[in-house]
Amino acid sequence: MASNQLVKDPFNVIITGVGGQGNVMASRILSNMLVQKGYFVTIGETFGASQRGGSVMSHIRISSHSTWSPQVPKGRAHIVVTLEPIEAIRVLANYGNEEVKVLTNTRPIYPAGVIAGESAYPAIEEIEATLKKLSHGVWLIDATEEAVKLGNPILGNIIMIGALSALGDLPVNRDDFNAVIRRTLPGDKVADNLKAFDMGAALLKN
Amino acid sequence: MSHLTDTKKDASYLVMGNEAIVRGAIEAGVNVASGYPGTPSSEIIESLSRVASERNLYVEWSVNEKVALEVAAAASFAQLRSLCAMKQNGVNVASDFLLHLVGSGTRGGFVLVTCDDPGALSSVNEGESRYFSRLMEIPLLEPGNFQEAKDMTKWAFELSEELKQIVVVRSVTRMSHASGNIRYGELPDIERKAEFKYSGFIFDPEEGVVISAPVDWKHQQQQAKVKRAMEIFENCPFNTYEGPDKPELLLITSSACYLYSKEAVNVLGIEDRVGILKLGTTWPLPPKLLAKNLSRTQKIMIVEEVLPFLEENVKILAAEMAAEIGVKTFYGKKDGTIPMTNELNPDLVISGLSKILGMEYVPVSAEYDQLAKLSAFVGAPARDQVFCPGCPHRASFLSIHNALELDGRKGFVCGDIGCYSMAVRPTGFETLKTLHSMGSGMGVASGFGKLGQFGMDQPILAVCGDSTFYHAVIPALVNAVHNKANITLVVLDNSGTAMTGFQPHPGLDYNVMGDEVPCIDVAKICSAIGARVEITDPFDLKGTREMLNNLIEDSNGVKVLIMRKACALSPQRKNKKDFEMRVDETICLGEECGCNRFCTRIFRCPGLVWNEKKKKAEIDQVICAGCGVCADICPQHAIVKEEVA
């Protein structure tokens, strides 16, 4: 059993984005970092047909003593990490509260309706203002742009995990990340993932 | 190597519900596993295939669920332990064999894992498999957490061997696709030899013939097994009670709903008022256990997803035992406390509990709630499901749509289950007009194709995927050819069972074990059945559209067009661009072009976006898959493709 360093138990993290952004991978890596520290973690995920261009969400429930339901109750998210900015707003409508913290990638993936001109996509400044009104703190991170610089946009998810770890609300650090990816990823991917993690941590601190 | 065969003691593993089921099967010493892919069940067979050589298993993706159940049954008849996995809809397909099987009985431990999808997160219905257990008179187990998913699966094999009957383990999406910590048990070291014994007396369950006749005698045997299961379930550790001895309200639940119920009671802080009876054995229900728990209080709430299966069965027992336990007040589906459609969550249970107990629960301030909802309405435009960038279906359906428009006789397309089901939506140009079960597009089209004598003169098309073709289209194709239906079948051949994650099918030259196997050619089958067969590359828009019009105009029976292009997410195409794409801004006329922004309003590829500032189309290089198709749709030729060296 873990020595309980959670500010809330269960501590609820929601990772959200659009199918294909590595949402599931991000939730697995974060959860494994916590499991190896002795915490109970439940991940509730939507994937399958729901991943084809649609919104995807992972609910991560972290506890020092038991397994919680794979769905966070309304209004009970502590941290929302989003790989696509408007998905943060969508998630807050159900799971947000005055105390929630939001870490969001700034890179939009336009819904088909927006591409077709049937609906409008808000400017990033508007998204930021909305998120500020609905949360205790917002961190905007250019994860995809930085990941492209690292050579692969998919690393945006790891940049966000790096940022989340640096936020300090969860009892996880770089060593935990390193241990998990060395166990779960092919050897040639480790260096790039560590770089992405460090990049995320640095971006949060700026 | 898979962590699913680890032997570390006292280690905690984070596993998906489906992996927990797999570990349970490995701990039980499973020998043979079969199934057909279907969300949320697919990871079970996939994970077993990864440990097949290490644990000396035989694992196969069968052509459909009925055959999968037959394949796994053979192993049981030969005294091996076998597992068959499928999504709920698959149980419908397998049910004909299942009814015969439960009459004949089984030998080696035989477990059917069904994964239901309440809320249809990855389905086009939310069908129930629980009722099959009652209908077929076989035991039903439902894990209420991840540890139980493992432990219960292992136990199901033992139960099956004791009863000489197949045992069902039923999971749901929120269990199969959720993950949690579990502790592993020991791995067995038993070698089983396969031998089918058939020389005994006809009534001998171990060595006689395996048959469901003589029916009356066999049926009595079968019902005796259900009775025995009921006795075993009276003292089963998977049925648990937590809460005060005499609670104000007794909540009865199972499966993922147990976790929602526990959470709801915790959120409301009513652990001292509400007791939870969690049932792991939901058919047949153990009457003594129910009598003991129903006697605790007068108010009973039943929490389950979709249909009132548990509720009905508990009420029947409660009526039978009324003299002993007294008259109860029930809350559940029938009185509207719990919704009868869609999946549940902690909030729906909270809402039911608050209503019954007269409590008020406000999760967030009304002010916050209103602002958050309004913000999402205004600031989070809906995200419709779309075909992926580079998906062959977008090109295929554009050609089908254009061919039907050009034909002008109000032709239409009948479809079935696959990513291409999304062609009912704008992403497939709203081309599909009927959508039902696996293979049904062809069967329905076969019926439409015989309505000419009643004046129907619309061209009729059916679509199916390559895996679906083998699963359920072949009989419908035979039917259409034999009965001279005048229709065109389009096989959207993307080289794998794409929607569920590229499981191999009989059209490929490898199987799930990685062996080289003969591939069964779609074109040759269709030709042998007697259809006219053509093949095109859907990325050749002009050639495909012309061929389709040619086939639609051919009124001589059944035509088959195979549109062959690998899925954009397939191992052979993923992350490999054939072309670098760009929009030449000097050529794109934007809104001034007479095309009505065809590329962004109609074609709707996520990689081809509209730049609001420049009022021109542009390529999103992070999303574009480089398939090159959009270069052929721009009337101005403003979309430029350059081959990647």
Short mmCIF file of all heavy atoms in Angstrom, two decimals, chain A residues 18 39-43 47 49 52 61 69 71 73-74 76 84 86-87 90 96-98 107 109 111 115-116 118 122 134, chain B residues 122 177-181 260 263 267 344 347 365 368-369 379-383 386 419 498-499 597 601 604 608 620 622:
data_model
loop_
_atom_site.label_atom_id
_atom_site.label_comp_id
_atom_site.label_asym_id
_atom_site.label_seq_id
_atom_site.Cartn_x
_atom_site.Cartn_y
_atom_site.Cartn_z
N VAL A 18 -8.92 13.92 -28.90
CA VAL A 18 -9.61 13.41 -30.07
C VAL A 18 -8.95 12.08 -30.45
O VAL A 18 -7.74 11.93 -30.27
CB VAL A 18 -9.50 14.42 -31.23
CG1 VAL A 18 -10.15 13.88 -32.50
CG2 VAL A 18 -10.16 15.74 -30.84
N TYR A 39 -0.31 2.73 -5.49
CA TYR A 39 -1.69 3.23 -5.45
C TYR A 39 -2.64 2.30 -6.21
O TYR A 39 -2.23 1.59 -7.13
CB TYR A 39 -1.76 4.63 -6.07
CG TYR A 39 -1.10 5.67 -5.20
CD1 TYR A 39 0.21 6.07 -5.44
CD2 TYR A 39 -1.77 6.22 -4.11
CE1 TYR A 39 0.83 7.01 -4.62
CE2 TYR A 39 -1.17 7.15 -3.29
CZ TYR A 39 0.14 7.54 -3.55
OH TYR A 39 0.74 8.45 -2.74
N PHE A 40 -3.89 2.33 -5.80
CA PHE A 40 -4.95 1.70 -6.59
C PHE A 40 -5.36 2.69 -7.67
O PHE A 40 -5.60 3.86 -7.37
CB PHE A 40 -6.18 1.40 -5.72
CG PHE A 40 -6.01 0.23 -4.81
CD1 PHE A 40 -5.39 0.36 -3.57
CD2 PHE A 40 -6.48 -1.01 -5.20
CE1 PHE A 40 -5.24 -0.73 -2.74
CE2 PHE A 40 -6.34 -2.11 -4.37
CZ PHE A 40 -5.72 -1.98 -3.14
N VAL A 41 -5.43 2.21 -8.89
CA VAL A 41 -5.85 3.09 -9.98
C VAL A 41 -6.94 2.39 -10.78
O VAL A 41 -6.84 1.20 -11.07
CB VAL A 41 -4.67 3.41 -10.92
CG1 VAL A 41 -5.13 4.34 -12.05
CG2 VAL A 41 -3.52 4.05 -10.17
N THR A 42 -8.00 3.11 -11.08
CA THR A 42 -8.99 2.60 -12.03
C THR A 42 -8.99 3.56 -13.22
O THR A 42 -9.01 4.77 -13.03
CB THR A 42 -10.41 2.59 -11.42
OG1 THR A 42 -10.36 1.94 -10.17
CG2 THR A 42 -11.39 1.89 -12.33
N ILE A 43 -8.93 2.99 -14.42
CA ILE A 43 -9.05 3.83 -15.61
C ILE A 43 -10.34 3.45 -16.32
O ILE A 43 -10.57 2.28 -16.62
CB ILE A 43 -7.91 3.61 -16.64
CG1 ILE A 43 -6.55 3.43 -15.96
CG2 ILE A 43 -7.88 4.74 -17.66
CD1 ILE A 43 -5.44 3.06 -16.96
N PHE A 47 -13.08 3.88 -26.04
CA PHE A 47 -12.44 3.72 -27.35
C PHE A 47 -13.18 2.64 -28.11
O PHE A 47 -14.21 2.16 -27.67
CB PHE A 47 -10.94 3.44 -27.23
CG PHE A 47 -10.54 2.24 -26.44
CD1 PHE A 47 -10.36 1.02 -27.06
CD2 PHE A 47 -10.30 2.33 -25.08
CE1 PHE A 47 -9.95 -0.09 -26.34
CE2 PHE A 47 -9.90 1.22 -24.35
CZ PHE A 47 -9.72 0.00 -24.98
N ALA A 49 -15.19 2.13 -31.73
CA ALA A 49 -15.67 2.97 -32.82
C ALA A 49 -15.65 4.43 -32.40
O ALA A 49 -15.54 5.33 -33.23
CB ALA A 49 -17.07 2.56 -33.22
N ARG A 52 -13.00 7.11 -33.79
CA ARG A 52 -12.86 7.61 -35.16
C ARG A 52 -13.22 9.09 -35.24
O ARG A 52 -14.34 9.43 -35.54
CB ARG A 52 -13.74 6.80 -36.12
CG ARG A 52 -13.55 5.31 -36.01
CD ARG A 52 -12.23 4.84 -36.62
NE ARG A 52 -12.15 3.38 -36.55
CZ ARG A 52 -11.10 2.71 -36.10
NH1 ARG A 52 -10.04 3.34 -35.69
NH2 ARG A 52 -11.10 1.41 -36.08
N ARG A 61 -8.93 7.23 -11.68
CA ARG A 61 -9.29 7.34 -10.26
C ARG A 61 -8.12 6.81 -9.45
O ARG A 61 -7.72 5.66 -9.62
CB ARG A 61 -10.55 6.50 -9.95
CG ARG A 61 -11.67 6.54 -11.01
CD ARG A 61 -12.37 7.88 -11.09
NE ARG A 61 -12.80 8.42 -9.82
CZ ARG A 61 -13.96 8.12 -9.21
NH1 ARG A 61 -14.79 7.27 -9.75
NH2 ARG A 61 -14.28 8.69 -8.06
N SER A 69 -15.06 3.52 -9.14
CA SER A 69 -15.80 3.26 -10.37
C SER A 69 -15.06 3.85 -11.57
O SER A 69 -14.36 4.85 -11.45
CB SER A 69 -17.21 3.85 -10.25
OG SER A 69 -17.40 4.92 -11.14
N GLN A 71 -16.11 5.60 -13.81
CA GLN A 71 -16.63 6.91 -14.23
C GLN A 71 -16.60 7.87 -13.04
O GLN A 71 -17.12 7.55 -11.98
CB GLN A 71 -18.06 6.77 -14.75
CG GLN A 71 -18.17 5.92 -16.01
CD GLN A 71 -19.52 6.09 -16.68
OE1 GLN A 71 -19.84 7.15 -17.20
NE2 GLN A 71 -20.32 5.05 -16.67
N PRO A 73 -17.87 10.82 -10.84
CA PRO A 73 -19.19 11.46 -10.68
C PRO A 73 -19.15 12.93 -11.12
O PRO A 73 -18.08 13.54 -11.15
CB PRO A 73 -19.46 11.36 -9.17
CG PRO A 73 -18.53 10.32 -8.66
CD PRO A 73 -17.33 10.37 -9.56
N LYS A 74 -20.31 13.44 -11.45
CA LYS A 74 -20.42 14.82 -11.94
C LYS A 74 -19.73 15.81 -10.98
O LYS A 74 -19.87 15.71 -9.76
CB LYS A 74 -21.90 15.20 -12.08
CG LYS A 74 -22.12 16.60 -12.64
CD LYS A 74 -23.60 16.88 -12.82
CE LYS A 74 -23.86 18.36 -13.05
NZ LYS A 74 -23.31 18.88 -14.32
N ARG A 76 -16.63 16.23 -10.14
CA ARG A 76 -15.61 15.74 -9.20
C ARG A 76 -14.22 15.55 -9.81
O ARG A 76 -13.40 14.83 -9.25
CB ARG A 76 -16.08 14.45 -8.54
CG ARG A 76 -17.29 14.72 -7.65
CD ARG A 76 -17.45 13.69 -6.57
NE ARG A 76 -18.47 14.15 -5.63
CZ ARG A 76 -18.42 13.95 -4.33
NH1 ARG A 76 -17.40 13.30 -3.80
NH2 ARG A 76 -19.38 14.40 -3.55
N GLU A 84 -6.59 18.48 -26.73
CA GLU A 84 -7.23 19.35 -27.74
C GLU A 84 -8.05 20.37 -26.95
O GLU A 84 -8.85 19.99 -26.09
CB GLU A 84 -8.11 18.49 -28.64
CG GLU A 84 -8.40 19.07 -30.01
CD GLU A 84 -9.41 20.22 -30.02
OE1 GLU A 84 -10.11 20.45 -29.00
OE2 GLU A 84 -9.49 20.90 -31.04
N ILE A 86 -10.75 22.57 -27.13
CA ILE A 86 -12.20 22.68 -26.84
C ILE A 86 -12.71 21.47 -26.05
O ILE A 86 -13.76 21.54 -25.42
CB ILE A 86 -13.08 22.88 -28.09
CG1 ILE A 86 -12.93 21.73 -29.09
CG2 ILE A 86 -12.88 24.25 -28.72
CD1 ILE A 86 -14.04 21.69 -30.14
N GLU A 87 -11.94 20.37 -26.10
CA GLU A 87 -12.37 19.19 -25.32
C GLU A 87 -12.34 19.50 -23.82
O GLU A 87 -13.06 18.88 -23.04
CB GLU A 87 -11.52 17.97 -25.67
CG GLU A 87 -11.69 17.49 -27.12
CD GLU A 87 -13.14 17.32 -27.54
OE1 GLU A 87 -13.93 16.75 -26.77
OE2 GLU A 87 -13.50 17.79 -28.65
N ARG A 90 -15.66 20.95 -23.05
CA ARG A 90 -16.68 19.90 -23.08
C ARG A 90 -16.67 19.08 -21.77
O ARG A 90 -17.70 18.77 -21.21
CB ARG A 90 -16.43 18.97 -24.28
CG ARG A 90 -17.70 18.34 -24.84
CD ARG A 90 -17.41 17.31 -25.92
NE ARG A 90 -16.60 17.74 -27.02
CZ ARG A 90 -17.05 18.46 -28.05
NH1 ARG A 90 -18.30 18.84 -28.08
NH2 ARG A 90 -16.24 18.80 -29.03
N GLY A 96 -16.45 19.47 -14.24
CA GLY A 96 -15.75 20.62 -13.69
C GLY A 96 -16.33 21.08 -12.36
O GLY A 96 -17.42 20.68 -11.95
N ASN A 97 -15.55 21.92 -11.69
CA ASN A 97 -15.98 22.55 -10.43
C ASN A 97 -15.04 23.72 -10.18
O ASN A 97 -14.03 23.87 -10.89
CB ASN A 97 -15.92 21.54 -9.28
CG ASN A 97 -14.55 20.92 -9.17
OD1 ASN A 97 -13.61 21.54 -8.68
ND2 ASN A 97 -14.38 19.70 -9.66
N GLU A 98 -15.34 24.53 -9.19
CA GLU A 98 -14.56 25.75 -8.96
C GLU A 98 -13.09 25.45 -8.66
O GLU A 98 -12.23 26.29 -8.87
CB GLU A 98 -15.14 26.57 -7.80
CG GLU A 98 -16.38 27.39 -8.18
CD GLU A 98 -17.68 26.64 -7.91
OE1 GLU A 98 -17.63 25.42 -7.64
OE2 GLU A 98 -18.76 27.28 -8.01
N ARG A 107 -3.22 23.14 -29.51
CA ARG A 107 -3.39 22.85 -30.94
C ARG A 107 -4.80 22.33 -31.24
O ARG A 107 -5.20 21.27 -30.76
CB ARG A 107 -2.36 21.79 -31.35
CG ARG A 107 -2.43 21.34 -32.80
CD ARG A 107 -2.13 22.50 -33.73
NE ARG A 107 -1.37 22.13 -34.91
CZ ARG A 107 -1.88 21.57 -35.99
NH1 ARG A 107 -3.15 21.26 -36.03
NH2 ARG A 107 -1.10 21.30 -37.02
N ILE A 109 -7.90 20.57 -33.19
CA ILE A 109 -8.24 19.64 -34.27
C ILE A 109 -9.68 19.98 -34.60
O ILE A 109 -10.57 19.82 -33.76
CB ILE A 109 -8.10 18.17 -33.82
CG1 ILE A 109 -6.61 17.86 -33.56
CG2 ILE A 109 -8.66 17.23 -34.88
CD1 ILE A 109 -6.34 16.43 -33.11
N PRO A 111 -13.39 20.01 -35.67
CA PRO A 111 -14.47 19.07 -35.97
C PRO A 111 -14.94 19.25 -37.41
O PRO A 111 -14.80 20.36 -37.98
CB PRO A 111 -15.58 19.48 -34.99
CG PRO A 111 -14.92 20.29 -33.92
CD PRO A 111 -13.75 20.95 -34.59
N ILE A 115 -14.94 22.53 -40.07
CA ILE A 115 -14.29 22.55 -41.39
C ILE A 115 -15.32 22.92 -42.47
O ILE A 115 -15.05 23.67 -43.39
CB ILE A 115 -13.64 21.17 -41.69
CG1 ILE A 115 -12.48 20.92 -40.72
CG2 ILE A 115 -13.15 21.11 -43.14
CD1 ILE A 115 -11.85 19.53 -40.84
N ALA A 116 -16.55 22.40 -42.27
CA ALA A 116 -17.60 22.66 -43.27
C ALA A 116 -18.23 24.03 -43.11
O ALA A 116 -19.04 24.44 -43.93
CB ALA A 116 -18.66 21.57 -43.17
N GLU A 118 -20.24 24.90 -40.62
CA GLU A 118 -21.55 24.83 -39.97
C GLU A 118 -21.49 25.32 -38.52
O GLU A 118 -22.50 25.69 -37.94
CB GLU A 118 -22.08 23.38 -39.98
CG GLU A 118 -22.36 22.86 -41.37
CD GLU A 118 -22.26 21.34 -41.46
OE1 GLU A 118 -21.92 20.68 -40.45
OE2 GLU A 118 -22.51 20.83 -42.55
N PRO A 122 -13.85 28.50 -31.43
CA PRO A 122 -13.44 29.73 -30.74
C PRO A 122 -11.93 29.99 -30.85
O PRO A 122 -11.15 29.04 -30.96
CB PRO A 122 -13.84 29.46 -29.29
CG PRO A 122 -14.00 27.99 -29.17
CD PRO A 122 -14.34 27.46 -30.52
N LEU A 134 -13.98 28.82 -15.44
CA LEU A 134 -14.54 27.54 -14.97
C LEU A 134 -13.56 26.73 -14.13
O LEU A 134 -13.81 25.56 -13.84
CB LEU A 134 -14.97 26.69 -16.18
CG LEU A 134 -16.15 27.24 -16.98
CD1 LEU A 134 -16.36 26.41 -18.25
CD2 LEU A 134 -17.43 27.22 -16.15
N SER B 122 -19.76 1.43 -28.54
CA SER B 122 -19.12 0.98 -29.79
C SER B 122 -20.00 -0.02 -30.51
O SER B 122 -19.54 -1.05 -30.98
CB SER B 122 -17.77 0.32 -29.48
OG SER B 122 -16.91 1.23 -28.87
N HIS B 177 -13.13 -2.67 -20.87
CA HIS B 177 -12.21 -1.63 -21.36
C HIS B 177 -11.72 -0.70 -20.27
O HIS B 177 -10.96 0.22 -20.54
CB HIS B 177 -12.87 -0.83 -22.49
CG HIS B 177 -12.70 -1.49 -23.82
ND1 HIS B 177 -13.09 -0.92 -25.00
CD2 HIS B 177 -12.16 -2.68 -24.14
CE1 HIS B 177 -12.81 -1.75 -25.99
NE2 HIS B 177 -12.25 -2.82 -25.50
N ALA B 178 -12.17 -0.93 -19.05
CA ALA B 178 -11.60 -0.17 -17.94
C ALA B 178 -10.41 -0.96 -17.42
O ALA B 178 -10.23 -2.13 -17.76
CB ALA B 178 -12.64 0.01 -16.85
N SER B 179 -9.57 -0.31 -16.63
CA SER B 179 -8.41 -1.00 -16.07
C SER B 179 -8.37 -0.77 -14.57
O SER B 179 -8.82 0.25 -14.07
CB SER B 179 -7.11 -0.46 -16.68
OG SER B 179 -7.13 -0.58 -18.08
N GLY B 180 -7.78 -1.75 -13.87
CA GLY B 180 -7.61 -1.61 -12.43
C GLY B 180 -6.51 -2.54 -11.94
O GLY B 180 -5.99 -3.35 -12.70
N ASN B 181 -6.17 -2.40 -10.65
CA ASN B 181 -5.09 -3.24 -10.09
C ASN B 181 -5.63 -4.62 -9.76
O ASN B 181 -6.71 -4.73 -9.17
CB ASN B 181 -4.60 -2.71 -8.74
CG ASN B 181 -4.23 -1.26 -8.77
OD1 ASN B 181 -5.04 -0.41 -9.11
ND2 ASN B 181 -3.01 -0.99 -8.38
N TYR B 260 -20.51 1.63 -9.34
CA TYR B 260 -21.30 2.88 -9.34
C TYR B 260 -22.10 2.99 -8.03
O TYR B 260 -22.24 4.07 -7.46
CB TYR B 260 -22.29 2.94 -10.52
CG TYR B 260 -21.66 2.75 -11.88
CD1 TYR B 260 -22.37 2.15 -12.92
CD2 TYR B 260 -20.37 3.19 -12.14
CE1 TYR B 260 -21.81 1.99 -14.18
CE2 TYR B 260 -19.80 3.02 -13.39
CZ TYR B 260 -20.53 2.42 -14.40
OH TYR B 260 -19.96 2.25 -15.64
N GLU B 263 -19.93 3.85 -5.08
CA GLU B 263 -19.53 5.26 -5.16
C GLU B 263 -20.70 6.16 -4.77
O GLU B 263 -20.51 7.15 -4.04
CB GLU B 263 -19.06 5.58 -6.59
CG GLU B 263 -18.65 7.00 -6.77
CD GLU B 263 -17.21 7.16 -7.25
OE1 GLU B 263 -16.70 6.25 -7.91
OE2 GLU B 263 -16.61 8.21 -6.96
N VAL B 267 -20.61 8.90 -1.91
CA VAL B 267 -20.79 10.33 -2.19
C VAL B 267 -21.89 10.92 -1.30
O VAL B 267 -21.75 12.02 -0.77
CB VAL B 267 -21.11 10.56 -3.69
CG1 VAL B 267 -21.61 11.98 -3.95
CG2 VAL B 267 -19.87 10.28 -4.55
N LEU B 344 -25.34 3.12 -17.07
CA LEU B 344 -25.48 3.87 -15.83
C LEU B 344 -24.16 4.53 -15.48
O LEU B 344 -23.14 4.35 -16.16
CB LEU B 344 -25.91 2.95 -14.69
CG LEU B 344 -27.28 2.29 -14.82
CD1 LEU B 344 -27.63 1.56 -13.52
CD2 LEU B 344 -28.38 3.31 -15.14
N ASP B 347 -23.79 8.98 -10.92
CA ASP B 347 -24.79 10.04 -10.73
C ASP B 347 -26.22 9.52 -10.87
O ASP B 347 -27.12 9.99 -10.17
CB ASP B 347 -24.53 11.18 -11.71
CG ASP B 347 -23.22 11.86 -11.41
OD1 ASP B 347 -23.13 12.50 -10.36
OD2 ASP B 347 -22.27 11.69 -12.19
N SER B 365 -22.35 24.04 -7.65
CA SER B 365 -23.30 25.14 -7.50
C SER B 365 -24.08 25.35 -8.80
O SER B 365 -23.57 25.11 -9.89
CB SER B 365 -22.55 26.42 -7.15
OG SER B 365 -21.83 26.89 -8.27
N TYR B 368 -22.25 27.60 -11.23
CA TYR B 368 -21.16 26.97 -11.98
C TYR B 368 -21.73 26.08 -13.08
O TYR B 368 -21.28 26.11 -14.22
CB TYR B 368 -20.26 26.15 -11.05
CG TYR B 368 -19.09 25.52 -11.78
CD1 TYR B 368 -17.85 26.16 -11.85
CD2 TYR B 368 -19.22 24.30 -12.43
CE1 TYR B 368 -16.78 25.60 -12.54
CE2 TYR B 368 -18.16 23.73 -13.13
CZ TYR B 368 -16.94 24.39 -13.17
OH TYR B 368 -15.88 23.83 -13.87
N ASP B 369 -22.71 25.27 -12.68
CA ASP B 369 -23.30 24.31 -13.62
C ASP B 369 -23.84 25.01 -14.86
O ASP B 369 -23.59 24.59 -16.00
CB ASP B 369 -24.41 23.54 -12.90
CG ASP B 369 -24.79 22.28 -13.65
OD1 ASP B 369 -23.87 21.62 -14.19
OD2 ASP B 369 -25.98 21.96 -13.72
N GLY B 379 -18.94 27.15 -26.80
CA GLY B 379 -17.51 27.09 -27.07
C GLY B 379 -16.95 25.73 -27.44
O GLY B 379 -15.76 25.62 -27.73
N ALA B 380 -17.78 24.70 -27.43
CA ALA B 380 -17.26 23.38 -27.79
C ALA B 380 -18.14 22.77 -28.88
O ALA B 380 -19.01 21.97 -28.62
CB ALA B 380 -17.22 22.46 -26.56
N PRO B 381 -17.89 23.21 -30.14
CA PRO B 381 -18.71 22.69 -31.24
C PRO B 381 -18.68 21.17 -31.30
O PRO B 381 -17.66 20.55 -31.00
CB PRO B 381 -18.06 23.30 -32.49
CG PRO B 381 -16.73 23.83 -32.05
CD PRO B 381 -16.86 24.12 -30.60
N ALA B 382 -19.82 20.57 -31.67
CA ALA B 382 -19.96 19.11 -31.68
C ALA B 382 -18.90 18.47 -32.57
O ALA B 382 -18.46 19.06 -33.56
CB ALA B 382 -21.35 18.74 -32.17
N ARG B 383 -18.47 17.29 -32.17
CA ARG B 383 -17.43 16.59 -32.93
C ARG B 383 -18.06 15.33 -33.52
O ARG B 383 -18.12 14.30 -32.87
CB ARG B 383 -16.28 16.24 -31.99
CG ARG B 383 -14.95 16.08 -32.68
CD ARG B 383 -13.84 15.87 -31.69
NE ARG B 383 -13.29 17.07 -31.10
CZ ARG B 383 -12.47 17.92 -31.73
NH1 ARG B 383 -12.13 17.71 -32.98
NH2 ARG B 383 -12.01 18.97 -31.10
N VAL B 386 -16.03 10.88 -37.94
CA VAL B 386 -15.67 10.97 -39.37
C VAL B 386 -14.73 9.84 -39.73
O VAL B 386 -14.05 9.28 -38.87
CB VAL B 386 -14.96 12.31 -39.68
CG1 VAL B 386 -15.94 13.46 -39.65
CG2 VAL B 386 -13.79 12.57 -38.76
N CYS B 419 -16.63 0.17 -39.79
CA CYS B 419 -16.40 1.62 -39.82
C CYS B 419 -17.32 2.26 -40.86
O CYS B 419 -17.78 3.39 -40.69
CB CYS B 419 -14.95 1.93 -40.18
SG CYS B 419 -13.78 1.59 -38.86
N ALA B 498 -10.78 -3.98 -39.60
CA ALA B 498 -10.18 -2.69 -39.26
C ALA B 498 -10.77 -2.06 -38.01
O ALA B 498 -10.04 -1.59 -37.15
CB ALA B 498 -10.31 -1.74 -40.44
N MET B 499 -12.08 -2.06 -37.88
CA MET B 499 -12.71 -1.29 -36.81
C MET B 499 -12.27 -1.78 -35.43
O MET B 499 -12.16 -1.00 -34.49
CB MET B 499 -14.23 -1.34 -36.92
CG MET B 499 -14.91 -0.41 -35.93
SD MET B 499 -16.61 -0.06 -36.31
CE MET B 499 -17.39 -1.58 -35.91
N ARG B 597 -17.05 25.24 -52.08
CA ARG B 597 -16.07 24.68 -51.13
C ARG B 597 -16.23 23.17 -51.01
O ARG B 597 -16.34 22.62 -49.92
CB ARG B 597 -16.21 25.35 -49.76
CG ARG B 597 -15.47 26.67 -49.65
CD ARG B 597 -15.73 27.33 -48.32
NE ARG B 597 -15.44 26.45 -47.19
CZ ARG B 597 -15.78 26.72 -45.94
NH1 ARG B 597 -16.41 27.84 -45.64
NH2 ARG B 597 -15.47 25.88 -44.98
N ARG B 601 -16.60 21.47 -47.47
CA ARG B 601 -18.01 21.30 -47.09
C ARG B 601 -18.51 19.89 -47.36
O ARG B 601 -19.34 19.37 -46.63
CB ARG B 601 -18.90 22.30 -47.84
CG ARG B 601 -18.78 23.71 -47.31
CD ARG B 601 -20.09 24.50 -47.42
NE ARG B 601 -19.88 25.81 -46.86
CZ ARG B 601 -19.69 26.91 -47.59
NH1 ARG B 601 -19.71 26.84 -48.92
NH2 ARG B 601 -19.49 28.07 -47.02
N ARG B 604 -14.86 16.75 -46.60
CA ARG B 604 -14.73 16.70 -45.14
C ARG B 604 -13.64 15.77 -44.61
O ARG B 604 -13.88 14.96 -43.71
CB ARG B 604 -16.06 16.27 -44.49
CG ARG B 604 -17.14 17.30 -44.59
CD ARG B 604 -18.37 16.82 -43.84
NE ARG B 604 -19.47 17.76 -44.01
CZ ARG B 604 -20.24 18.19 -43.02
NH1 ARG B 604 -20.06 17.75 -41.79
NH2 ARG B 604 -21.21 19.03 -43.25
N LEU B 608 -7.91 18.32 -44.28
CA LEU B 608 -8.10 19.37 -45.27
C LEU B 608 -9.03 20.40 -44.64
O LEU B 608 -10.22 20.15 -44.50
CB LEU B 608 -8.72 18.74 -46.53
CG LEU B 608 -8.96 19.60 -47.76
CD1 LEU B 608 -7.71 20.34 -48.19
CD2 LEU B 608 -9.43 18.70 -48.90
N ASP B 620 -3.78 20.54 -43.15
CA ASP B 620 -3.23 20.47 -41.80
C ASP B 620 -2.17 19.35 -41.83
O ASP B 620 -2.51 18.17 -41.85
CB ASP B 620 -4.34 20.14 -40.79
CG ASP B 620 -3.83 20.16 -39.35
OD1 ASP B 620 -2.63 19.88 -39.15
OD2 ASP B 620 -4.62 20.43 -38.44
N VAL B 622 -0.19 18.12 -39.73
CA VAL B 622 -0.10 17.17 -38.61
C VAL B 622 -1.11 16.03 -38.80
O VAL B 622 -0.88 14.90 -38.41
CB VAL B 622 -0.35 17.91 -37.27
CG1 VAL B 622 -0.59 16.94 -36.13
CG2 VAL B 622 0.85 18.81 -36.96
#
